Amino acid sequence: MTAPYSQSLHTSLSQLPHEQLLQLIWNLAMQQPPLYEALARHCAGQPMEREPVAAAQLRQQIDQVFAYLATVSAYDYEDDYDDEYEYEEITALLQQVGAKERRERPELLWYLIERANLAFAEATLATVQIELAIAQYVQLVSELCPSLPERKPHIEKLVSSLDWELMGHGRILVTTRRGLETLAGYPLLIDLLKGHPAQSIREWVAHYYRQLGRDDAYLTYRRAHLHHEFQYLDLAQFWQQRGDTRQYLATLESWLTLGVPPEPPSVVLQMLEAHYAQQQNQVELLRILLCEAQWYGVTLALYQRIKPLAIAQEQWQEVRHQLLSLAKGGAEIETLSRIYIYEAQEEDAIALLDHPQCYESTTVFIADGIKQKYPQQAIVIYKKLIQAYLDRKNREGYAIAAEYAQALKHIYLNILNSPEPWRDYLLQLKERYGQKRSFCDEFKDL
């Protein structure tokens, strides 16, 4: 707006009678919740009481508020955004809904919840007040509709909302589930949800069977929906709570027969490992640890756990070959280097230096591991590393080169007891790089 128009508007407003100006501001505030809240904060610091509006007008205000919120993110809306942030616009709407007759509120609340889904479905926004709206909706329905037939339409609405994108935000799904359990109860929810397309929702059914104590129905349902590890764990827990160790172990072992490990380390493997270790069943414990090595790779710690078990069962040569094959097949060069040094097989460790995936950290580990038995090979390794960092010709490179030079010095002085070669080597470096101040700073303590 240009300056002349602004000045003209200002003049016109200043000439309006006080009551007329107040009425104009009030009408605008009733139509625009953000303006209302801004005025409320400015005038008193607290929301002002408003006269109840007609349901149709309130729906229109709900549309306006969520149309606005759909255009902004919580990060733009509030600098100190967090998961508990509340939108004052929605608070104003909930206050207005609360001012309506009790029998009008559920429909208005559900309208607000639906609009929230449309507005927030694609955005990551705080949901505190939407959760509150769902909880209020459930509470009103439970009070106004004492019989199950009366509640049925509301229950169906909540069930239909389980597919909404909004359910992925905050604790909205948890709040909705709690509301369904309050209104419908477990038996009805079993009928409504056992055919739900979402696996995560169908899992509620197994829980409801267990809560009802319907063990036969639970077992039938669980066995018909037994595809993922968490489902096997659920069934194993069922048997464990009943003290049936045989069925508990059989359930966990049946998961292993699928032969497809999940992304993270398997909880089933951890539980079986703990059980067989507690029972001191070395045969089964060895089998489980080997399965862990096959699924998730070999580590030195795992290798060290497996070794005494395999030796006790006179299987070490075969098992060791299997572990090394797994490590080589997975190109686990660092693990192989640690195993070779642990087993004092320095020659095999040295051979790894030519592998394309033998990175610097592994190279340094090998040099440190072989220095007692093969100091000359370790010296060659450290000199190559030192030169590589000196060639960078910057302070960082000189600093790292000095660290490796300290290791080299230790080999000459403490292992070979040969200070002369060390002094000659250091003198050569100073002659070549001594004009560099940063080199002198980093190598002064050598």
Side-chain angles (χ1 to χ4, degrees), residues 121-299:
E122 300 300 328
T124 304
L125 299 174
T127 57
V128 174
Q129 290 145 301
I130 308 306
E131 295 159 20
L132 176 61
I134 294 171
Q136 289 179 354
Y137 176 80
V138 170
Q139 180 64 31
L140 284 166
V141 170
S142 65
E143 294 173 356
L144 296 172
C145 306
S147 69
L148 193 56
E150 291 177 292
R151 297 179 179 183
K152 192 73 177 292
H154 302 282
I155 293 170
E156 290 172 350
K157 285 182 180 179
L158 287 168
V159 169
S160 69
S161 74
L162 296 175
D163 295 327
W164 290 357
E165 291 289 334
L166 187 65
M167 292 295 153
H169 297 290
R171 293 179 56 83
I172 289 182
L173 181 60
V174 173
T175 305
T176 304
R177 176 176 179 175
R178 188 180 297 122
L180 279 167
E181 292 169 356
T182 298
L183 295 179
Y186 297 153
L188 177 57
L189 287 180
I190 288 173
D191 291 337
L192 292 174
L193 300 178
K194 62 184 178 183
H196 196 276
Q199 174 185 277
S200 59
I201 304 299
R202 293 198 304 272
E203 282 300 307
W204 300 0
V205 174
H207 170 74
Y208 296 152
Y209 278 133
R210 290 184 64 174
Q211 291 298 111
L212 291 169
R214 296 176 57 184
D215 290 358
D216 290 343
Y218 165 77
L219 287 171
T220 299
Y221 186 83
R222 178 77 290 158
R223 286 165 176 160
H225 300 82
L226 201 59
H227 310 290
H228 303 280
E229 183 177 24
F230 74 89
Q231 295 167 328
Y232 282 83
L233 290 170
D234 181 66
L235 181 57
Q237 183 188 48
F238 171 85
W239 292 120
Q240 187 179 45
Q241 290 176 349
R242 281 149 185 78
D244 194 329
T245 303
R246 185 182 65 83
Q247 289 279 20
Y248 167 75
L249 287 176
T251 301
L252 296 179
E253 291 284 1
S254 63
W255 161 240
L256 296 186
T257 61
L258 296 181
V260 182
E263 288 291 333
S266 167
V267 177
V268 166
L269 280 180
Q270 295 172 13
M271 293 172 68
L272 287 171
E273 179 184 330
H275 176 81
Y276 291 132
Q278 183 182 30
Q279 298 296 316
Q280 298 184 342
N281 189 332
Q282 295 188 350
V283 174
E284 298 301 334
L285 181 57
L286 174 59
R287 177 176 61 86
I288 295 301
L289 293 178
L290 285 174
C291 185
E292 182 177 332
Q294 183 178 1
W295 281 11
Y296 301 110
V298 181
T299 65

